[in-house]
Amino acid sequence: MHPNSPIQVIDNEQTKAHVISHRNDPNESAIYYTIQILDKTGDNWKIDRRFSQFEELLKKLKVFFGEQLPSLPKKKYITFLFGRSIEDIEKRKIGLDQFVQDLVNRPEIVASSPFTEFFEIDKNANEIVVNPPQLLYELKEFQLGVRDFILNTESGLMFVLASNCSVINRIDAYLTNMKAPWEFKKDEEAQLAVGSVECWHQTLNGEYKKLWAKVYNSQAITCYWDHIASVLLIGLDSGQINQLIVLEQEGFQRYSDSQEYEQHKSRIMGLYYDRRNKYMHSISKDRRYKVFNLRMKDLVADFMPDQYELTSLLASDERRKVFIGDRHGQIFIYDIEKQMPSYMIKIVTNQLFLRGLFIDHQRNYLFSISHENGVILIIDIQNPGQEQFAKQITSLNGKPKSREICWSSKRGEIYVGNIDGTVTIWDARNSNQLSHDLDITKVHWLEEERKLVTASKDKRIKVWQFPQFWRDPKVMEKEHQIEHSITFKKLRESLFQNQKVQIDINQEDNEENGMILWDQPQKKYSGNSFEDQTELK
């Protein structure tokens, strides 16, 4: 049981939500199962639910959390209203009770609206209800799955990269496009789009309108936008990089120049434009990190950090550093202050397939996530100029196959996009989830507006409004006081009995930025690997 769940544990074994009995309603010719719930405050209530209502709950939860959910007891236990045995009904009651236990062991499920509605938490325990993010609007006019996007709220500009996510459809498009000449002329586009970049602009009423689109005969994988230089870079699955010039003075209505660069031999995994030197930085699955001079049209540097595929790239203009992750779990730091980039240090994380690098410049933290097992890494990269002393400080165990990560410095929250279509939100007291239908490909946090923008292969971009507080701060403070008093009461009792007590809390308080990190062993979540979870506050 998660320690911050509003439905808690009795003696660390029996939870405070149980299917305790069943009754036959002759008027409706139905069996009702009675669930008793007890919350943190001591309030308790009972609800009666038919098996069909449990099925409806599971159906609603799948919209939020995909297929990674506990199972209901098989219908073979009860086939007809008459002729069934007491043993069959008891088996179903036991199975439903186990289903409830599996649900309350998942804090992200407890915080979801289907759960709170089913268990009538709003009605009976309003003070423990988590305020969920609200879906403001979604863009679903894309013909292909969204792979990446860039959002500039100041200018109301959004670039969206989309790709055909179906292997069969891609093969069909390749064959169709091959009917044209093998070598496309300059600016000539494919007949059927395998990938595309679209330019959208926000109108006065707040809605986004598509201005133009450019299609490719290869999947569009990643992009980078420099709003000062008006340079847009698009990395393709073929290893090519397309450079576009999109001018604000022309209202972003078109791209004025297009250049193709045969930069790599396989998929582009990361891009960066250094406007100071007019350099284009790129990494690829071909294991190469290349720096290309766009002004002189020549290669400045060609690095092969190690023998593994390169999977993520993040550049910091403030630090004049480039951070590169690879499939083997290594992070390489390069100094780009001078015209010739130079290698600084390698950080070995012991995780695989690093994705979604993100920097908090205020706290000097570098965040990354392992696509292989979902482990979130937090690395102290030290003050600017001291990156050679960078070291990993902690990790969080999340969902496997996660691919995107971003961070809110003000709220102290991490947002992780998962392959099952959910976004997991990590903070000091909650674990909530948002939902798409397919693989999350991008998450972007708008700090001042408290909004999270998510994209998915389901051909949608969604904008979520976050609450100022997940729960009532007064209630949370009261709970903190209660939990604190109970902990120290047990400690005093143990000391009085002359027993040795071990408290596995390693707390590090950074008074300068008000952030606290601590390690807190927890039970394994049902269906997930959230062990030894570290939380951020």
Side-chain angles (χ1 to χ4, degrees), residues 265-281:
K265 295 181 179 179
S266 77
R267 172 176 291 188
I268 304 295
M269 297 298 292
L271 292 166
Y272 165 65
Y273 177 73
D274 180 2
R275 82 176 74 94
R276 179 189 297 185
N277 297 313
K278 292 184 170 56
Y279 284 177
M280 178 176 67
H281 296 246

Side-chain angles (χ1 to χ4, degrees), residues 100 162 182 206 209 265 416 457:
V100 170
W182 282 90
K209 177 184 178 181
K265 295 181 179 179
V416 177
K457 291 182 180 180

Side-chain angles (χ1 to χ4, degrees), residues 135-149:
L135 178 61
L136 292 182
Y137 58 89
E138 60 180 309
L139 295 174
K140 49 185 178 181
E141 302 176 23
F142 307 106
Q143 301 300 313
L144 304 173
V146 179
R147 292 299 299 258
D148 197 0
F149 69 85

Side-chain angles (χ1 to χ4, degrees), residues 77-78 83-90:
Y77 290 157
I78 300 175
R84 59 196 165 186
S85 65
I86 295 298
E87 289 77 11
D88 288 334
I89 299 175
E90 282 295 326

Side-chain angles (χ1 to χ4, degrees), residues 173-184:
Y174 292 144
L175 294 175
T176 301
N177 294 334
M178 284 171 58
K179 296 177 182 178
W182 282 90
E183 297 294 335
F184 290 109

Side-chain angles (χ1 to χ4, degrees), residues 26 79-80 177 192 260 321 401 460 518:
T79 56
F80 299 101
N177 294 334
L192 287 181
E260 299 282 348
K321 301 294 186 299
K401 306 301 180 184
R460 286 178 169 87
W518 74 92

